[in-house]
Amino acid sequence: MKKISDEEFYLMDLKSKFDKIKPNTYYLSYSGGKDSHFLYWFIKEYLKRDDIKIVGVNTYMEHHEILKRILNNSDIVLYPEIKPFELKEKYGSPCFSKTQDDIIDRWQSGNRAPYLYARIDGKSLNGEKSQFGLSKKARKLLLEGNLHRVSPKCCKYLKKEVGKKFQKESGLKPILGVRGGESLARRAVYKSCFQKDGRFTPIWDLSDELLDKIYKKYNIEIPEVYNHVCRTGCMGCPYGSWKHDTEKELLLINDNQFRFVTEYFKESYEVLGIDVEKIRKEREIAKKEKM
C-alpha cells in the first residue's frame, strides 16, 4: 500500500474541514500573501470550487507584487475609508509591536488605569513579570515624553474594519489564512478552525515547514519578495524591524514607494534606529550595478 505523504495527508484533512461548512456562506479574505494564497490555491485548484468569493483589500500599502495578486485573483477588491496619512494624523503610526503600541496608544490617549501602569512596567496586576509589557526603550521614551504619537491602528482601519463592513453588508463569514504558530498572541487565540464569531481559520495548525513542502510539491507560485523576507504586510512596516525585514523591504520597493514609506514611518524609523539615508545610498548603488 502506497504511503501517504505529510503534504497529501494535510490536504485531505483540510478538505474534511471545508466539507463541514456551507461554501456559499463564506468568502476567502485574500491578502495576496503566502498563507492566504495557499488557501486560494486550495479552493481553486485542489477543491475546484467557484462558489467561495475571493475578497481582497487594497490598503494602499501593499508590495507591488502582492497588490498585483490581489487585483488579479480577487472577485471583489475593497478599499478603506481612510488613507494612510489621514490615519497617521488622527491616531499615530506603528513602531514597536502591536501589543506594545496598544499600551502606548492607551497611555498617550490619557488612560491611567492600574493594569496599564503594570503593563508599562512589564508586569501583570499581581506583580509578576509579563511577556506582554513594554521594552526598556519604549518605556523610557514614553515616560520621558519623548515618544511620537504611536498607534497599532493601521491594520485595524486599513484592513480589519474594511472586512467587518463587508461581512455586515454581505452576510458572508470570512475564511482567514491565519496560523497559530506565527506569534504568541495568535497562538493564544487560534486553537481550532471554527471561531465563536463565525470566522473559519482552517490552517491554524499548519507549520512553516509543512507549508513550504506543500508549496514545493505542488509548484504553487511564490512572489519574488519572499526570497528576501519571510512575511509580507504593509510595505516597510516597523513591526518587521526586529529581524531586519523592514530594511530588506526598503531595498526592494520602487522609488515612489520608498519616498512614501520613509515619510509615513519617519518618526518610528528614527526611534528604531533604521538608517534611511544608508538604505537610500544602498539603493543607488544597486541601481548603478544594474545599468
Side-chain angles (χ1 to χ4, degrees):
M1 185 176 178
K2 184 181 177 182
K3 183 180 178 181
I4 298 176
S5 69
D6 291 342
E7 301 94 309
E8 292 171 307
F9 182 83
Y10 187 84
L11 293 176
M12 291 168 60
D13 183 61
L14 188 56
K15 180 181 181 301
S16 72
K17 294 175 182 175
F18 271 81
D19 287 342
K20 296 176 182 178
I21 69 169
K22 294 180 181 179
N24 61 2
T25 65
Y26 284 86
Y27 74 94
L28 174 63
S29 179
Y30 182 69
S31 70
K34 197 172 180 180
D35 296 339
S36 74
H37 189 74
F38 164 63
L39 281 174
Y40 172 84
W41 170 85
F42 181 77
I43 290 167
K44 295 295 185 180
E45 301 297 328
Y46 191 89
L47 295 181
K48 305 290 185 184
R49 301 205 73 109
D50 288 320
D51 52 355
I52 297 175
K53 288 187 181 298
I54 312 300
V55 180
V57 179
N58 181 356
T59 65
Y60 308 108
M61 298 288 289
E62 311 293 338
H63 286 267
H64 59 276
E65 285 183 281
I66 302 301
L67 178 58
K68 185 178 179 181
R69 268 182 155 187
I70 292 171
L71 297 177
N72 289 344
N73 296 333
S74 299
D75 298 310
I76 300 169
V77 177
L78 306 173
Y79 293 83
E81 295 180 352
I82 186 170
K83 292 187 177 180
F85 273 97
E86 296 170 343
L87 185 63
K88 178 181 178 179
E89 183 178 350
K90 188 172 182 179
Y91 298 108
S93 54
C95 190
F96 298 100
S97 70
K98 286 184 180 179
T99 301
Q100 292 188 82
D101 288 358
D102 180 59
I103 295 170
I104 294 167
D105 180 38
R106 291 168 187 264
W107 179 268
Q108 290 182 329
S109 298
N111 189 332
R112 296 295 184 269
Y115 84 91
L116 203 61
Y117 278 107
R119 283 290 188 88
I120 289 171
D121 284 336
K123 299 175 183 177
S124 60
L125 273 175
N126 61 13
E128 294 180 0
K129 187 176 180 180
S130 171
Q131 59 186 338
F132 299 114
L134 293 189
S135 67
K136 290 181 181 179
K137 185 174 186 177
R139 186 187 311 125
K140 184 175 186 294
L141 290 170
L142 178 64
L143 296 181
E144 289 178 350
N146 294 325
L147 192 61
H148 62 288
R149 188 72 171 91
V150 168
S151 171
K153 291 187 172 74
C154 246
C155 290
K156 178 179 180 180
Y157 288 106
L158 295 183
K159 185 171 287 187
K160 290 181 181 178
E161 290 298 318
V162 184
K164 286 181 181 179
K165 183 180 178 183
F166 175 77
Q167 291 163 39
K168 186 176 181 180
E169 292 175 347
S170 68
L172 299 175
K173 292 169 286 189
I175 301 171
L176 302 176
V178 294
R179 295 187 289 131
E182 291 177 330
S183 67
L184 287 172
R186 284 191 172 183
R187 198 173 300 145
V189 173
Y190 297 104
K191 297 180 179 179
S192 74
C193 52
F194 293 102
Q195 307 305 313
K196 291 180 180 179
D197 59 4
R199 291 175 297 163
F200 182 41
T201 54
I203 61 171
W204 70 277
D205 57 349
L206 178 58
S207 68
D208 288 339
E209 182 183 9
L210 186 52
L211 179 61
D212 288 339
K213 284 183 178 180
I214 294 172
Y215 258 87
K216 186 175 181 180
K217 181 179 178 70
Y218 293 93
N219 196 29
I220 304 172
E221 176 205 1
I222 301 179
E224 169 65 20
V225 66
Y226 280 102
N227 291 328
H228 306 277
V229 297
C230 297
R231 294 187 56 76
T232 59
C234 291
M235 54 185 177
C237 180
Y239 292 159
S241 64
W242 66 277
K243 52 184 176 181
H244 302 292
D245 275 359
T246 303
E247 292 92 331
K248 293 174 186 176
E249 289 178 352
L250 291 176
L251 291 170
L252 297 173
I253 56 183
N254 64 41
D255 289 345
N256 287 336
Q257 291 172 327
F258 182 79
R259 284 191 291 270
F260 179 90
V261 166
T262 53
E263 179 61 28
Y264 186 66
F265 295 122
K266 180 182 178 181
E267 297 84 0
S268 295
Y269 286 172
E270 289 173 354
V271 166
L272 296 169
I274 295 174
D275 193 335
V276 172
E277 287 309 309
K278 180 183 176 183
I279 296 170
R280 195 190 308 277
K281 290 175 183 177
E282 289 179 17
R283 288 170 57 87
E284 292 302 319
I285 291 171
K287 279 184 195 176
K288 290 177 181 177
E289 289 176 349
K290 287 181 180 180
M291 292 175 66

